[in-house]
Amino acid sequence: MREFTDPFLDFARRRREPAVVQTLRSTAAAVISYVVALHLSSEPAPLTAPLTALLVVQVTLYTTLVTGVRRVNSVIAGVLLAVGFSALVGLTWWSLGLIILAALVVGRFVKVGEFVPEVAISAMLVLGVTRVSATAWDRVLETLIGAGVGMLFNVLLAPPVWVESAGGAIEELAARMRRLLLDLGEEVSGHTPVARAAARLHEARRLDHDIVQVDVSLRQAEDSLRLNPRVKEGLLSRVVLRTGLDTLEISAVVLRVVCRSLTDLAKERTEEWLFEPDVGLALRDVFEHLARAVESFAVLITTQVSANAEEAEERLTAELTAGRVSRDRVADLLLAQVQRHPRQWQLHGALLAEIDRILDELDVEKRSQRLVEELDRQSREQRQRFRVLSRVRQRLRLREPEEVLEPGARGRRE
């Protein structure tokens, strides 16, 4: 019994994943568009409609609308080319090559994005039939049906907001960084073989791949916030997540440099501890504070509850303060050690500089400043993009005081 129920349980657990949602929504939209096309198109099997719906329905409303418009433009452009060519020449090898070349060039000019080949495909399919005009408009009608059903499907049944999945990906990235920092803290307080230090360096380099995956998830979340009626503060959510990921990405790069410095130090001190016992314990304390700070930072940028965000910010501030105190203690101990034994002093200085950089990147005030700057930049871009609409709104606001005046009051004022 278990082998039959486990797949269903697994599907139920994964029902909120983008791939599962995309599969169900695309299937439903394709079936609905086919049923509609059967009643409106003269074709016996109007498969262009469900094909268009499959291509149009995306995981987010924003990408669905963009894809739908591009798809319709590509098909109409290809059909018009085919109708024009059919009036002049028939289907020959040279006319086929000419229409493909023209369709690909036109596709670039009409800005259909990834659907440039669709312009040529539509033109070839229409040119290859005997009843060109009837087939052409049937294909346009089916495309409009598929695109319309796909877009209405996502407008009336808005797709989920993928902020939660993006937040989970960010927290997983922060958890891997936290584990790496704790492992480094364990190793600096004793003897570290070169192989172990190199393994930590390789683990830090793998964070780059993790960041790429998180970026993909975040881009999907950003698209799901655009034009979504469920979201009231989409811009703020996008900026918080994006700036937070940028901070973690910079911290991950610096963490990789930390591992590089410790690996170089392990190569120079193969038969002894990396640091003296008191320095190692102090460094371990620094890495533990950094690990908890990274964890609190991830919670701060991904939480949707203000109380949890305030608590995470308090923990982050406390960990950064304690980390700076421990860092200063490490600096004093390293200075005394270098004065006694100046070997590899440059690696000691590099390690302190890298710790300072992580502390600075996670700083609460710097995060707030970055948020304000990014919000201002996004607002300026939106005003420039919708400049005409902003001018109309401004003129309407200026006219409102005059419109609410009574006619007699307006005459007296004049």
Side-chain angles (χ1 to χ4, degrees):
M1 183 67 179
R2 177 173 178 174
E3 60 182 60
F4 293 101
T5 57
D6 280 353
F8 294 100
L9 292 175
D10 183 64
F11 180 82
R13 286 193 297 266
R14 301 179 60 182
R15 67 186 184 277
R16 291 283 298 173
E17 292 187 4
V20 176
V21 174
Q22 172 73 355
T23 301
L24 297 177
R25 296 176 70 86
S26 297
T27 302
V31 172
I32 293 173
S33 64
Y34 181 74
V35 173
V36 174
L38 281 176
H39 291 82
L40 299 180
S41 176
S42 61
E43 292 289 328
L47 294 177
T48 302
L51 173 62
T52 303
L54 285 174
L55 295 174
V56 168
V57 175
Q58 302 293 319
V59 181
T60 66
L61 177 61
Y62 174 77
T63 53
T64 295
L65 296 176
V66 172
T67 304
V69 172
R70 290 177 177 176
R71 171 80 180 184
V72 171
N73 288 343
S74 64
V75 171
I76 292 177
V79 167
L80 292 177
L81 280 174
V83 171
F85 266 78
S86 66
L88 299 175
V89 295
L91 179 59
T92 62
W93 67 267
W94 61 269
S95 64
L96 178 63
L98 190 59
I99 195 173
I100 292 176
L101 177 62
L104 294 178
V105 172
V106 170
R108 300 292 179 183
F109 282 99
V110 296
K111 297 180 180 180
V112 294
E114 67 274 18
F115 292 113
V116 170
E118 180 67 22
V119 181
I121 294 173
S122 299
M124 286 189 296
L125 292 178
V126 173
L127 188 63
V129 299
T130 56
R131 296 168 53 248
V132 173
S133 58
T135 303
W137 300 120
D138 282 338
R139 182 169 175 80
V140 172
L141 176 61
E142 293 171 20
T143 301
L144 291 174
I145 292 173
V149 170
M151 288 189 284
L152 284 176
F153 195 84
N154 269 10
V155 170
L156 299 178
L157 300 174
V161 178
W162 300 111
V163 173
E164 184 177 350
S165 61
I170 291 176
E171 290 181 351
E172 289 178 4
L173 172 64
R176 287 189 286 270
M177 295 174 62
R178 174 183 175 273
R179 288 194 296 268
L180 180 57
L181 285 165
L182 292 177
D183 291 340
L184 292 178
E186 293 291 336
E187 293 178 2
V188 295
S189 57
H191 175 258
T192 303
V194 176
R196 187 187 304 170
R200 294 288 173 260
L201 177 59
H202 183 67
E203 184 178 351
R205 288 171 175 168
R206 284 202 302 268
L207 290 175
D208 293 339
H209 178 68
D210 297 334
I211 291 173
V212 172
Q213 293 180 331
V214 175
D215 183 71
V216 172
S217 178
L218 181 54
R219 288 182 185 276
Q220 186 178 78
E222 290 173 337
D223 286 342
S224 70
L225 293 171
R226 294 173 179 168
L227 306 179
N228 198 315
R230 300 181 182 181
V231 181
K232 295 182 179 180
E233 297 181 350
L235 176 60
L236 179 61
S237 299
R238 294 201 310 268
V239 171
V240 168
L241 291 176
R242 174 56 61 185
T243 55
L245 179 59
D246 291 343
T247 298
L248 289 178
E249 183 177 2
I250 295 173
S251 301
V253 172
V254 180
L255 183 56
R256 185 173 69 241
V257 180
V258 170
C259 294
R260 175 78 264 181
S261 299
L262 293 176
T263 302
D264 293 341
L265 197 60
K267 292 178 181 178
E268 298 294 334
R269 303 178 180 180
T270 57
E271 303 296 333
E272 55 186 317
W273 287 17
L274 294 183
F275 302 96
E276 294 181 358
D278 53 348
V279 179
L281 291 176
L283 272 174
R284 177 179 178 178
D285 191 46
V286 172
F287 284 126
E288 288 178 352
H289 287 303
L290 288 178
R292 289 192 289 267
V294 168
E295 182 182 28
S296 299
F297 182 84
V299 174
L300 175 62
I301 64 175
T302 57
T303 185
Q304 302 296 317
V305 183
S306 58
N308 294 340
E310 292 178 0
E311 182 180 354
E313 184 172 349
E314 292 175 356
R315 290 200 306 268
L316 175 60
T317 303
E319 295 297 340
L320 291 177
T321 301
R324 290 188 176 94
V325 173
S326 299
R327 181 267 174 206
D328 293 338
R329 181 168 178 268
V330 170
D332 293 336
L333 293 173
L334 283 178
L335 177 60
Q337 179 178 336
V338 168
Q339 289 176 345
R340 294 193 302 269
H341 304 287
R343 297 178 306 153
Q344 295 89 42
W345 60 268
Q346 70 278 8
L347 293 176
H348 295 171
L351 182 61
L352 289 175
E354 291 147 11
I355 291 174
D356 288 339
R357 182 65 183 273
I358 297 177
L359 290 171
D360 181 65
E361 286 297 326
L362 298 176
D363 186 71
V364 176
E365 294 183 0
K366 185 172 182 177
R367 170 184 172 273
S368 300
Q369 181 182 358
R370 186 176 298 171
L371 278 176
V372 172
E373 293 175 352
E374 186 64 20
L375 285 172
D376 290 342
R377 187 184 68 82
Q378 295 278 355
S379 300
R380 287 195 303 269
E381 289 183 355
Q382 287 187 355
R383 286 195 299 267
Q384 293 176 357
R385 192 176 305 166
F386 305 103
R387 187 176 301 174
V388 176
L389 183 59
S390 299
R391 290 177 180 176
V392 173
R393 288 179 177 176
Q394 186 176 6
R395 290 179 181 178
L396 291 176
R397 292 193 188 101
L398 292 176
R399 292 180 58 183
E400 284 177 0
E402 296 183 0
E403 293 175 354
V404 297
L405 287 175
E406 296 180 359
R410 188 182 304 172
R412 288 193 299 271
R413 193 183 72 172
E414 294 175 353

